[in-house]
Amino acid sequence: MTFQELLADTALSFVVLGAAFWPLERAFSARAGQRLLRPAWGVDFAFFLGQYFVWGPLSVLAIMAARPLLHPEALAGLRAAVALQPTWLQVVEATVLCDLCVYGWHRLCHQVDWLWRFHAVHHSAEHLDWMAAHREHPLDGFTTQLVCNLPAFVLGIPLGTLAMVAAFRGMWAIFIHSNVRLPLGPLGFLFGAPELHHWHHARVERTRHNFANLAPYMDWLFGTYHRPVGEERWALGLAEPFPRGYLAQLFVPLRDVVLPGRKAQGSTQPS
């Protein structure tokens, strides 16, 4: 892909996502009165550009390079059986296995100090909307995508099927970060609603609820499900001091230090 094509795809993605989510955030605001160009919007826009121009393409290349290494001969019979299945069943299997792996990995990222250093970049956002979904350290994003795709690679699920699942998951990840309060009713057990993930971003020391971005039933199974009630008034972001600039957030996790466990002054915990 040429630079011009990459630029055109990035611009198109920005326009399409903005056209889809800005009206939705205005009509069903979770936090009424939040401005379109709210504080730190420029930092999240830098993360958006970084993902589309640099880190996203590099992650895809790295994951595709790793794919041939994840075909153990011991599972050749299983892959042959999966290949005979209808596409819809492959999609269900890939989605459920991905949900399970991402849940476990996400939970580890909140419990293991050296993983948290990278994941904390994502939690440093103090305002949530569709743009904040892109605030993610590239190593955090790459490892998450690798863990997510691992079961599908091992089972030999075709790339076309995997691409459909990845596209859906990507759009849903943006939706759950958007400034939207839109309960899903009974479907909320199968698909994560924004209010669940907004709670996950509460300004407490490493939140311990709602790790399953797409599948709340995983949190229900493992005892980490929490559905808040009432208006969203809890503070968002990290309880620890953290740099605010784009480049600083890329480099600070690479230092050989663990984020301090003390809470920043003036931070509040939701009740």
Side-chain angles (χ1 to χ4, degrees):
M1 179 179 289
T2 66
F3 175 79
Q4 289 79 7
E5 291 173 332
L6 190 59
L7 179 62
D9 285 349
T10 301
L12 179 61
S13 297
F14 180 81
V15 170
V16 169
L17 290 173
F21 284 102
W22 273 328
L24 196 63
E25 291 181 336
R26 186 176 180 86
F28 303 99
S29 296
R31 294 175 184 248
Q34 179 170 298
R35 291 182 289 118
L36 177 65
L37 299 180
R38 41 74 179 170
W41 189 90
V43 174
D44 290 325
F45 183 61
F47 275 99
F48 175 88
L49 294 178
Q51 277 200 21
Y52 277 82
F53 273 114
V54 182
W55 313 120
L58 287 178
S59 291
V60 170
L61 290 175
I63 290 172
M64 294 310 298
R67 185 170 180 260
L69 304 176
L70 302 173
H71 282 189
E73 286 300 321
L75 296 179
L78 176 61
R79 288 195 297 275
V82 170
L84 297 175
Q85 294 175 340
T87 300
W88 69 265
L89 183 55
Q90 293 179 352
V91 169
V92 171
E93 290 171 345
T95 301
V96 173
L97 290 173
C98 175
D99 289 337
L100 180 61
C101 289
V102 168
Y103 173 89
W105 179 251
H106 193 179
R107 191 165 178 176
L108 279 177
C109 286
H110 281 248
Q111 295 174 340
V112 179
D113 285 343
W114 66 272
L115 292 176
W116 171 250
R117 293 211 301 269
F118 295 92
H119 190 58
V121 172
H122 181 61
H123 279 266
S124 68
E126 297 179 348
H127 299 82
L128 290 178
D129 55 19
W130 71 272
M131 185 62 73
H134 300 88
R135 184 184 296 212
E136 185 178 57
H137 194 281
L139 290 179
D140 184 28
F142 167 70
T143 52
T144 300
Q145 289 302 316
L146 184 61
V147 167
C148 181
N149 290 302
L150 181 61
F153 286 168
V154 171
L155 293 177
I157 292 178
L159 288 179
T161 302
L162 191 55
M164 290 190 296
V165 176
F168 175 74
R169 294 189 69 90
M171 285 298 295
W172 204 268
I174 297 173
F175 171 64
I176 62 175
H177 288 89
S178 63
N179 182 31
V180 171
R181 183 81 173 186
L182 194 61
L184 302 178
L187 289 177
F189 185 71
L190 296 176
F191 302 104
E195 62 264 25
L196 294 178
H197 199 67
H198 290 183
W199 175 266
H200 180 73
H201 279 263
R203 190 182 297 174
V204 297
E205 190 173 343
R206 306 194 196 185
T207 44
R208 295 175 175 83
H209 297 91
N210 301 346
F211 295 106
N213 295 349
L214 178 62
Y217 65 89
M218 289 290 177
D219 282 297
W220 183 80
L221 285 173
F222 292 104
T224 53
Y225 180 86
H226 176 67
R227 179 177 289 277
V229 295
E231 296 183 19
E232 293 189 19
R233 296 185 179 274
W234 54 86
L236 302 170
L238 292 173
E240 307 96 351
F242 203 77
R244 296 181 178 274
Y246 174 66
L247 291 178
Q249 292 201 5
L250 290 184
F251 287 108
V252 71
L254 300 174
R255 295 183 200 162
D256 190 22
V257 294
V258 177
L259 287 174
R262 59 187 175 84
K263 294 181 175 62
Q265 286 186 350
S267 67
T268 58
Q269 292 192 22
S271 56

